[in-house]
Amino acid sequence: MRPLPDEPSAALRGWRLRVYTIIFEADTRAGRWFDQALIVLIVLSVAVVTADSVPAIRARLHHPLELAEWFFTAVFTVEYLARLATVRHPLRYATSFFGVIDLLALLPTYLALLLPEAHALIDVRVLRLLRIFRVFKLPAYVVEYRSLGHALRASRRKITVFIAGVMMIVLVMGTLMYVVEGPENGFTSIPTSVYWAITTMTTVGFGDITPRTELGRFISSVMMLLGWGTLAVPTGIVTAEMASQRLVPLRTPTTRTCHECLTEGHLPEARYCYHCGAELPPWLHEPRNRG
Amino acid sequence: MRPLPDEPSAALRGWRLRVYTIIFEADTRAGRWFDQALIVLIVLSVAVVTADSVPAIRARLHHPLELAEWFFTAVFTVEYLARLATVRHPLRYATSFFGVIDLLALLPTYLALLLPEAHALIDVRVLRLLRIFRVFKLPAYVVEYRSLGHALRASRRKITVFIAGVMMIVLVMGTLMYVVEGPENGFTSIPTSVYWAITTMTTVGFGDITPRTELGRFISSVMMLLGWGTLAVPTGIVTAEMASQRLVPLRTPTTRTCHECLTEGHLPEARYCYHCGAELPPWLHEPRNRG
Amino acid sequence: MRPLPDEPSAALRGWRLRVYTIIFEADTRAGRWFDQALIVLIVLSVAVVTADSVPAIRARLHHPLELAEWFFTAVFTVEYLARLATVRHPLRYATSFFGVIDLLALLPTYLALLLPEAHALIDVRVLRLLRIFRVFKLPAYVVEYRSLGHALRASRRKITVFIAGVMMIVLVMGTLMYVVEGPENGFTSIPTSVYWAITTMTTVGFGDITPRTELGRFISSVMMLLGWGTLAVPTGIVTAEMASQRLVPLRTPTTRTCHECLTEGHLPEARYCYHCGAELPPWLHEPRNRG
Amino acid sequence: MRPLPDEPSAALRGWRLRVYTIIFEADTRAGRWFDQALIVLIVLSVAVVTADSVPAIRARLHHPLELAEWFFTAVFTVEYLARLATVRHPLRYATSFFGVIDLLALLPTYLALLLPEAHALIDVRVLRLLRIFRVFKLPAYVVEYRSLGHALRASRRKITVFIAGVMMIVLVMGTLMYVVEGPENGFTSIPTSVYWAITTMTTVGFGDITPRTELGRFISSVMMLLGWGTLAVPTGIVTAEMASQRLVPLRTPTTRTCHECLTEGHLPEARYCYHCGAELPPWLHEPRNRG
C-alpha cells in the first residue's frame, strides 16, 4: 500500500516545485522553517498596527512603525505573488478560503493610501494565523480542528432553524418594546429596539438603553428568561453531535496539497486527490518521528 | 402500499381545489411560486414598517412608505379571505396557530386607524415567515424543525418545574433586596426589585439598578453564582433529550394538508389524516427529485 | 400484593385522622380542595404584599391591604397550629424543610410589629407554593421534581469542588484588581473587588465598577474568557448526570405521608414507611383515573 | 496483596520521618490535626488582609491587624522551611505546583516592605486551600477533583483550538469596531476595542464603552449572537468528555506521598511510586472506618 511517487507533472518541476513545496506544504525542514518565519512575521505586523493605534505610542513612534508596516506589506506581497506563480490554477487559489484571506491581508495597506481610516484593518491579517496548526503538533490539531468543524457542519440545519427563530423573536419583541416604551425612553426606532432586544436576549445587557415603564420592564423580564433558557438549545445541538462523533477515528493526515483544488490532508501513499480526482504532485518530505 | 388517490370529496372541487392547492400546499410549481412570492411580500412589508420608524427616513419618505403599507395590507387581506373561503372549516383555520398569526399580521394596520402608536406592530407579520421552510430544502428542514419541537415538548414537565422554581427564587430574592437596600438605593418597589433580580439571575446585568450596601452586594453575589450555575439545568434537560432522540428516524413528509384539522405532513400514499381520521383531498403534485 | 389497610394506630383516629388527611394528603376530594384553596390564599397574600410596596398603590389602598394581610396571616396561623396538633411528632414537623418554610411564612407579619422594614418579607410565604405540584398532574410532576433533585444530589461532590475553585479564583482575581486599579478607580476594598470579580466571571457585568487602567482591562479580559469557558463545567456535570439517569423508571407514587418522619410518596399498598420503618396510617382515598 | 512496609530509606528516619508524615500526609491523627490547623490559619490570615482593606475597619484596627499578619507570616515561613528540610529533594518541591503556591503565599508580606501596594497580594495565600480536600471526605473529593481535571486535560486540544479561534475573532472584530466607531465614540485604540469585543462576546457587557453608530450597532448585534452561540462549543466539548468518563472506576487512594516526585495518592500496599518508580517511605497510619 505504499507505492513510490510518480514522475511529477510537466508543469511542476524544478524551482517551481521546490518553491511550491516550501510555501504550501510543511513536511520538509525548509517548509516548516518557512511556516514558522511566516507566523512570526504575521504576529509582528499585527502588533505594529495595534501599537500604532494607541495614542501614547503613536505620538512617539509613528514614523518607525509606519516604515515597519510597509516592510511587512512588501514581504507579504512578494509571498502572495509567489503563491500565484507556483500554483497551477492561480484563479482557483485566489478565490479559495485561504486565498481570499491572504488577499484581504494585503489590501488595507494599499487602501489606506486612499482612505486613511481603513488603515487599521491590516489586523485582518491575523486570520492568516489559521495556518498555524500546521507547525505545532501537526496531525493532532488538524484532526481536532476538523472534528469541531464536522460537528458544526452536521448540525447546520438545526442551527439554521434556531437562528431564524431567534431573528424573528428579536424583531417582534423589539417592535413591541418600541411601541410600549417609545422614543422618549431611548427606543428611538425599530432597528434600535431590535439592537436592544439582541443585547437583552443574549444576556449581554450593555445598559445604554433600558426600559423605564412597568409594562416595558415586565416584557423585558419575559425576554430575559426566554433568552436564558434558549441558550440551552444550541448547546444541546452541538453537544449531542459531539457525543455521537466519538466513535469515528480519523487517519493521520499530512499537509500534502492537491495542486488542482487545493484540498489538504492527503495520505502519504495517495496518488490522486480524494476531492477532485486530479493527480497529486510528488510528495517531498523528510522522515521524522510523529509525536 | 401505494394506492392511487380517490375521487375528491364533493365540496373541494374545481377552482376551490385549485386555489386550495396553491395556497396551502407547496408540491406544485404554482404552489411553490406562491410561497416564494408570499415570502418576498412579507419581508418587504416588514422592511417598510421598520424603515418608517427611523426618524431620518421617516422625514423624507413617510408618504410613499405609507402607501406601500396599505398595498401590502390589501394583498394580505385578499389572501386571508381566500384562505377562509377554500378551507372546509373556516373557524378551525382561524383559531389554529397559523390562522391566528395570519390575522395578527393584518390587524395592526387597521388598528392604527384608531390607535396610531399600534402602527409599528405590523412587524408581527414577520411570524408568517415560519412557513418559510416549506420552500427551501423542504423535507429536511421540516424534519429538523419537528425534531427541535419534539425535544422541547418531551422535556416540558422538567422545564415547567424549573421555571416555577426560578420564579419563586426571583420573588424571594427580589423582596430580600427590597428590604435590605430600600427605595433610596433604586429598589423602589417589590416588582422593581423582582425585575432587578431577573436581570441579575439571567446574567444580563443592565446596571440601571445596582446594590449599594455591603449586605446587598453580598446577597447579589450569591444570586449571581446561583444563576450562573442554574443555567446548567435547562441545558442539561434539553441536551439529554436531544441525545436520546437520535435513534428515531422520520419518514420524509410532504406539505399535504388535511382539510379537516389542517395537520400537515401526510405521506404521499395516505388516504386518511393520521391526526383526525378524515379523508384527505386528492394530492395534486408534480414529480421532482428530492435532493 | 394489595392487602387491605390495617386498623389505624391508636393516636390517629377520629377527627384528628380526618383533619390530618385533609391537610397533609391530597388523594381525597376534600384534600384536593384544601390544597387548591391553600394555593389561592398563598398567591393572594403574596400579591397583597407586592402591591403594597408600589408607592402609587400604597398611597391609595394601604389600609385595606393591611387588613387583608392580617386576615391571611390569621388563616395561616390557624392552619399551622392545626398541622402541629394532628401530627404525631410536632417537633419533627417543625424542624423539617416544609415545617420551617411554613413558620417563616408566618413570622414576618409578627416581626413587622417590632421592625417595620421586615414587613415585606412576607413574600417568603411564596415558597409554600412548592407544594403546588401535588394538585396539578400529581404523579408526573412529583416524578420530574425528584428526578431533577436526584441529578443534583448525585453530582453534589463535583459541584462542591467546582464552587470551591470558583471562590478561590474570585478572591485572588479580586485582590489582584484591587492592587492594580486601586480605590481611586472604584475598587475601594477587597470585598468590593471580589463583588466586581463575581459580576465579571458570571458575565452579569453591571458596570457600576469598571477597570480603567490598561493592565486592569487586560486582567479583566482574561477573567471574562475564563468565566465564559468555566460555565461549561457545571453544565457538563449536570448534563452527564441527567443523561445517565434516563434508564431508571420510577413507580407512580401517591401523596401518602408517614406520620413518623413525614416522608411522602409511599405506594398505595405499603404498610410501612420505606424511610423509617414506622407503620403507616390507613390510606383514605377516593378512586380516580390516573391521567 | 498486603505486604508489610519495608525498612525506611536511610535519610528518612526519626524526627524527619515523623515531621514529614505530619506535614505531607493526612492518614495519622497528628497529620489530620495539622491539616485542619493549617486551614484555619490560612483562612484567618486571608480574613485579616481582607478586613484591613476596608477603609472603615482599617481606620480603627490597622495596628492589631498588621501584628496578626506578621504572626501568620512567621508561622507559614517556619512551616515552609520545615517542608524544605524534611523533603529529600528540596528543589523539586520548591518548583512543584504546591511548592510555588506556598512560596507565593509568603512573598507578598516581605515584598510589601519595599512596595506597600503589593501588600494585599497576601490573599494569594488562599490558593493553599487547594489542599483542603485532604481533610474532608478524603477519598471521594480527591476522586472527583481528579475526574474533573482528567476531563479537562483530555479535551485540551479541542479547547486550545477553540481559544485560538476566539482570540482571532475578537482581534478582527475589535479592529473593525475601532475603524467604524472611532475614538470619539469611546473606542480609543485597538487594545481598548479588543477589550470591548471580549466584554461583548463573553456577554458580560459592562457598558462603559458602547457603539453609537448604526453600522457599529449592527456589527455588535452580529457579535453578540455569535458569542452567544459559541458558548455552546466548550460546553459540548467538556460534556461529551464527562459523559464518556463515567465507565472508569477509580480505586480509593490515600494521601501517601512519594518522597522523590511528590505524587500523591498511592495505594496502601504500594511499595514503589507509580509515577517515578522510586521506593516509597513506610506508610504510617492509624486504621479508621472509610465512610
Side-chain angles (χ1 to χ4, degrees):
Chain A
M1 252 193 72
R2 294 188 77 91
L4 289 167
D6 261 9
E7 285 287 305
S9 51
L12 204 59
R13 225 182 260 275
W15 71 271
R16 282 187 74 185
L17 177 61
R18 193 95 203 129
V19 173
Y20 173 84
T21 311
I22 292 179
I23 297 185
F24 279 92
E25 298 184 358
D27 298 301
T28 68
R29 199 172 304 125
R32 285 198 295 275
W33 181 89
F34 176 80
D35 271 342
Q36 288 164 342
L38 189 63
I39 286 163
V40 169
L41 285 178
I42 295 174
V43 172
L44 278 180
S45 76
V46 166
V48 158
V49 176
T50 303
D52 201 30
S53 74
V54 180
I57 300 179
R58 193 186 181 97
R60 295 186 307 162
L61 288 174
H62 180 65
H63 195 62
L65 288 177
E66 207 176 9
L67 281 175
E69 272 172 49
W70 279 108
F71 167 71
F72 288 125
T73 305
V75 170
F76 293 137
T77 312
V78 165
E79 182 221 348
Y80 185 71
L81 294 173
R83 287 182 187 262
L84 286 176
T86 57
V87 159
R88 181 181 296 186
H89 298 279
L91 220 73
R92 199 171 299 181
Y93 165 72
T95 52
S96 75
F97 179 67
F98 279 113
V100 166
I101 290 181
D102 292 342
L103 189 63
L104 285 181
L106 286 175
L107 283 184
T109 328
Y110 297 112
L111 220 73
L113 293 169
L114 309 163
L115 230 80
E117 296 90 30
H119 177 253
L121 285 173
I122 288 171
D123 273 355
V124 171
R125 176 172 299 175
V126 76
L127 288 175
R128 301 200 69 201
L129 289 176
L130 282 169
R131 293 179 183 268
I132 203 173
F133 297 119
R134 287 173 30 172
V135 177
F136 300 110
K137 289 263 174 64
L138 166 67
Y141 279 115
V142 175
V143 166
E144 298 288 350
Y145 179 59
R146 286 209 176 152
S147 154
L148 217 57
H150 186 78
L152 290 173
R153 262 197 308 273
S155 336
R156 74 184 178 290
R157 290 229 185 85
K158 278 207 185 76
I159 291 175
T160 310
V161 171
F162 174 70
I163 287 179
V166 167
M167 289 285 105
M168 280 187 246
I169 291 177
V170 292
L171 179 58
V172 173
M173 287 297 189
T175 309
L176 204 57
M177 289 301 287
Y178 170 72
V179 169
V180 166
E181 291 274 331
E184 62 274 10
N185 279 330
F187 292 77
T188 51
S189 68
I190 292 185
T192 304
S193 306
V194 170
Y195 160 76
W196 171 87
I198 292 180
T199 68
T200 302
M201 269 202 82
T202 55
T203 75
V204 170
F206 282 131
D208 49 352
I209 307 170
T210 53
R212 305 286 162 77
T213 68
E214 289 112 7
L215 179 57
R217 283 179 166 175
F218 176 73
I219 297 175
S220 310
S221 305
V222 171
M223 286 188 63
M224 291 189 268
L225 291 169
L226 203 70
W228 194 42
T230 310
L231 184 61
V233 177
T235 308
I237 293 175
V238 177
T239 304
E241 198 54 54
M242 285 190 163
S244 67
Q245 246 197 16
R246 306 177 71 67
L247 304 164
V248 181
L250 288 159
R251 287 194 59 187
T252 309
T254 67
T255 61
R256 205 168 169 200
T257 309
C258 169
H259 204 232
E260 289 277 336
C261 64
L262 300 171
T263 313
E264 279 189 29
H266 299 279
L267 293 168
E269 63 267 22
R271 290 181 60 174
Y272 294 93
C273 172
Y274 67 79
H275 182 74
C276 70
E279 212 178 311
L280 291 173
W283 186 43
L284 306 170
H285 67 286
E286 287 131 30
R288 61 172 175 166
N289 281 335
R290 300 204 177 283
Chain B
M1 249 193 76
R2 292 188 80 93
L4 289 168
D6 259 8
E7 283 287 304
S9 50
L12 202 59
R13 226 182 261 274
W15 72 269
R16 281 187 74 186
L17 178 61
R18 193 94 204 128
V19 172
Y20 173 84
T21 312
I22 293 179
I23 296 185
F24 279 91
E25 299 183 358
D27 297 303
T28 69
R29 199 172 304 127
R32 283 197 297 276
W33 180 91
F34 176 81
D35 271 342
Q36 288 164 341
L38 191 62
I39 286 162
V40 169
L41 285 177
I42 295 174
V43 171
L44 278 180
S45 76
V46 166
V48 158
V49 176
T50 303
D52 201 30
S53 73
V54 180
I57 301 180
R58 193 188 182 95
R60 295 187 307 162
L61 288 173
H62 181 64
H63 196 60
L65 290 176
E66 208 176 10
L67 280 175
E69 272 172 49
W70 278 108
F71 166 71
F72 289 125
T73 304
V75 169
F76 292 135
T77 311
V78 165
E79 181 222 348
Y80 185 71
L81 295 173
R83 287 182 186 263
L84 284 178
T86 58
V87 159
R88 181 181 297 186
H89 297 279
L91 222 73
R92 200 171 299 180
Y93 164 73
T95 51
S96 75
F97 179 67
F98 279 114
V100 167
I101 290 180
D102 291 341
L103 188 63
L104 284 181
L106 286 175
L107 283 184
T109 331
Y110 297 111
L111 219 72
L113 294 171
L114 309 163
L115 229 80
E117 295 90 30
H119 177 252
L121 286 174
I122 287 170
D123 273 355
V124 170
R125 177 171 299 174
V126 76
L127 288 175
R128 301 199 70 201
L129 290 176
L130 283 169
R131 291 179 184 270
I132 204 173
F133 296 120
R134 287 173 30 173
V135 177
F136 299 110
K137 289 264 174 63
L138 165 67
Y141 278 115
V142 175
V143 167
E144 298 288 349
Y145 178 60
R146 285 209 175 150
S147 154
L148 215 58
H150 186 79
L152 290 174
R153 260 197 310 270
S155 335
R156 74 184 178 291
R157 288 229 187 86
K158 280 208 183 76
I159 292 177
T160 310
V161 171
F162 173 70
I163 288 180
V166 167
M167 290 285 105
M168 280 188 247
I169 292 176
V170 292
L171 180 57
V172 173
M173 286 296 189
T175 309
L176 204 57
M177 288 301 287
Y178 169 73
V179 169
V180 166
E181 292 273 332
E184 62 275 10
N185 279 330
F187 292 77
T188 51
S189 67
I190 292 185
T192 303
S193 308
V194 171
Y195 160 76
W196 171 87
I198 292 180
T199 70
T200 304
M201 270 202 82
T202 56
T203 77
V204 170
F206 281 131
D208 49 352
I209 307 170
T210 52
R212 306 285 162 77
T213 67
E214 289 113 7
L215 180 57
R217 285 178 164 176
F218 177 73
I219 297 175
S220 311
S221 304
V222 171
M223 284 187 64
M224 290 189 268
L225 292 169
L226 203 69
W228 193 43
T230 311
L231 183 63
V233 177
T235 307
I237 294 175
V238 176
T239 303
E241 198 55 55
M242 285 190 163
S244 66
Q245 246 198 18
R246 304 178 71 70
L247 304 164
V248 181
L250 289 160
R251 286 195 59 189
T252 310
T254 65
T255 62
R256 205 168 170 202
T257 310
C258 169
H259 204 232
E260 289 277 338
C261 64
L262 301 171
T263 314
E264 277 189 32
H266 299 281
L267 293 167
E269 61 268 22
R271 290 183 59 174
Y272 295 93
C273 171
Y274 68 78
H275 182 73
C276 71
E279 212 178 311
L280 291 173
W283 186 43
L284 305 171
H285 68 288
E286 287 131 32
R288 61 171 174 167
N289 282 337
R290 300 203 177 286
Chain C
M1 246 193 81
R2 291 190 80 93
L4 289 168
D6 258 9
E7 284 287 303
S9 49
L12 204 57
R13 225 182 262 274
W15 70 271
R16 283 187 73 187
L17 177 61
R18 191 96 203 128
V19 172
Y20 173 85
T21 312
I22 292 179
I23 297 185
F24 279 91
E25 299 183 359
D27 297 301
T28 68
R29 200 172 302 127
R32 284 197 297 275
W33 178 90
F34 177 81
D35 271 342
Q36 289 166 340
L38 191 62
I39 285 163
V40 169
L41 284 178
I42 296 174
V43 171
L44 279 180
S45 76
V46 166
V48 159
V49 176
T50 304
D52 202 28
S53 74
V54 181
I57 301 179
R58 194 188 181 98
R60 294 186 308 162
L61 289 172
H62 180 65
H63 197 60
L65 288 177
E66 206 176 12
L67 280 175
E69 273 171 48
W70 279 108
F71 166 71
F72 289 126
T73 305
V75 169
F76 293 136
T77 312
V78 165
E79 181 221 348
Y80 185 71
L81 295 172
R83 287 182 186 260
L84 285 177
T86 58
V87 159
R88 181 180 297 183
H89 297 280
L91 223 72
R92 198 172 301 181
Y93 165 71
T95 51
S96 75
F97 178 66
F98 279 114
V100 166
I101 291 182
D102 291 341
L103 189 62
L104 284 180
L106 285 176
L107 283 183
T109 330
Y110 297 111
L111 219 72
L113 293 170
L114 309 163
L115 229 81
E117 296 90 30
H119 178 253
L121 287 173
I122 288 171
D123 272 356
V124 169
R125 179 171 296 174
V126 75
L127 288 174
R128 300 199 71 200
L129 289 176
L130 283 169
R131 292 181 183 269
I132 203 173
F133 296 120
R134 286 174 29 172
V135 177
F136 300 110
K137 289 264 175 58
L138 165 66
Y141 279 116
V142 174
V143 166
E144 299 287 350
Y145 179 60
R146 287 212 177 148
S147 152
L148 216 58
H150 186 79
L152 289 173
R153 261 197 308 271
S155 336
R156 74 185 177 292
R157 290 226 187 88
K158 279 208 185 76
I159 290 176
T160 309
V161 172
F162 173 70
I163 287 179
V166 168
M167 289 285 105
M168 281 187 247
I169 292 177
V170 292
L171 180 57
V172 173
M173 287 296 189
T175 308
L176 205 57
M177 290 299 288
Y178 170 72
V179 169
V180 166
E181 292 273 332
E184 63 274 10
N185 280 329
F187 291 78
T188 51
S189 67
I190 292 185
T192 302
S193 308
V194 172
Y195 160 76
W196 171 86
I198 292 180
T199 70
T200 302
M201 269 203 83
T202 56
T203 76
V204 171
F206 281 130
D208 49 351
I209 308 170
T210 52
R212 306 285 162 77
T213 66
E214 289 113 7
L215 180 58
R217 283 179 165 175
F218 176 72
I219 298 175
S220 310
S221 304
V222 172
M223 285 187 65
M224 290 189 268
L225 292 169
L226 202 70
W228 193 44
T230 311
L231 183 63
V233 178
T235 307
I237 294 175
V238 176
T239 303
E241 198 54 55
M242 285 189 161
S244 67
Q245 244 197 18
R246 303 178 73 69
L247 305 164
V248 181
L250 287 160
R251 286 194 60 188
T252 310
T254 65
T255 62
R256 204 167 170 203
T257 311
C258 170
H259 203 234
E260 288 279 338
C261 64
L262 300 172
T263 315
E264 278 189 30
H266 299 280
L267 294 168
E269 62 268 22
R271 291 184 58 175
Y272 294 94
C273 171
Y274 67 80
H275 181 73
C276 70
E279 212 177 310
L280 291 175
W283 186 44
L284 305 172
H285 69 284
E286 288 131 31
R288 62 176 173 162
N289 282 336
R290 301 204 177 283
Chain D
M1 248 191 75
R2 292 189 79 91
L4 289 168
D6 260 9
E7 284 287 301
S9 50
L12 203 59
R13 225 182 262 273
W15 71 271
R16 282 188 73 186
L17 177 61
R18 192 95 204 128
V19 173
Y20 173 84
T21 311
I22 292 178
I23 297 185
F24 279 92
E25 299 184 359
D27 297 302
T28 68
R29 201 172 303 125
R32 285 197 296 275
W33 180 90
F34 177 80
D35 270 343
Q36 289 165 339
L38 191 62
I39 285 163
V40 170
L41 284 177
I42 296 174
V43 171
L44 279 180
S45 77
V46 165
V48 158
V49 176
T50 304
D52 202 30
S53 76
V54 180
I57 301 179
R58 192 187 182 98
R60 295 187 306 161
L61 287 174
H62 180 64
H63 195 60
L65 288 177
E66 207 176 9
L67 280 175
E69 274 173 49
W70 279 108
F71 167 72
F72 289 124
T73 305
V75 169
F76 292 135
T77 311
V78 164
E79 181 222 346
Y80 185 71
L81 295 172
R83 287 182 186 262
L84 285 177
T86 58
V87 159
R88 181 180 294 185
H89 297 278
L91 222 72
R92 199 173 299 181
Y93 165 71
T95 52
S96 75
F97 178 67
F98 278 113
V100 166
I101 290 181
D102 292 342
L103 189 63
L104 285 181
L106 285 176
L107 283 184
T109 329
Y110 297 110
L111 220 72
L113 293 170
L114 309 162
L115 230 81
E117 296 90 27
H119 177 253
L121 286 173
I122 288 171
D123 273 356
V124 169
R125 174 173 300 174
V126 76
L127 288 175
R128 302 199 71 200
L129 290 176
L130 283 169
R131 292 180 182 269
I132 204 173
F133 296 120
R134 287 174 29 175
V135 176
F136 299 110
K137 290 264 174 61
L138 166 67
Y141 279 116
V142 174
V143 167
E144 299 288 350
Y145 178 59
R146 288 210 176 149
S147 152
L148 216 58
H150 186 78
L152 290 174
R153 260 198 309 272
S155 338
R156 74 186 177 291
R157 290 227 187 87
K158 280 208 185 75
I159 290 176
T160 309
V161 172
F162 174 69
I163 287 179
V166 167
M167 289 284 106
M168 280 188 247
I169 291 177
V170 291
L171 180 57
V172 173
M173 286 298 188
T175 309
L176 204 57
M177 289 300 287
Y178 169 73
V179 169
V180 167
E181 291 274 332
E184 63 273 10
N185 278 330
F187 292 77
T188 51
S189 68
I190 292 185
T192 302
S193 307
V194 172
Y195 159 77
W196 171 87
I198 293 180
T199 70
T200 302
M201 270 203 83
T202 56
T203 76
V204 171
F206 281 130
D208 49 351
I209 307 169
T210 52
R212 305 284 162 76
T213 68
E214 289 112 7
L215 179 58
R217 284 179 167 174
F218 176 73
I219 297 174
S220 311
S221 303
V222 171
M223 285 188 64
M224 290 189 268
L225 291 169
L226 203 70
W228 194 42
T230 311
L231 184 62
V233 178
T235 307
I237 294 176
V238 176
T239 302
E241 198 56 52
M242 283 190 163
S244 66
Q245 245 198 17
R246 303 178 72 68
L247 304 163
V248 181
L250 289 159
R251 286 195 59 189
T252 310
T254 64
T255 61
R256 207 168 168 201
T257 309
C258 170
H259 204 232
E260 290 277 337
C261 65
L262 300 171
T263 314
E264 279 188 31
H266 299 280
L267 293 168
E269 63 268 21
R271 290 182 58 174
Y272 295 92
C273 173
Y274 68 80
H275 181 74
C276 69
E279 213 178 308
L280 291 174
W283 186 44
L284 305 170
H285 69 285
E286 288 130 32
R288 61 173 173 162
N289 283 335
R290 301 204 177 283

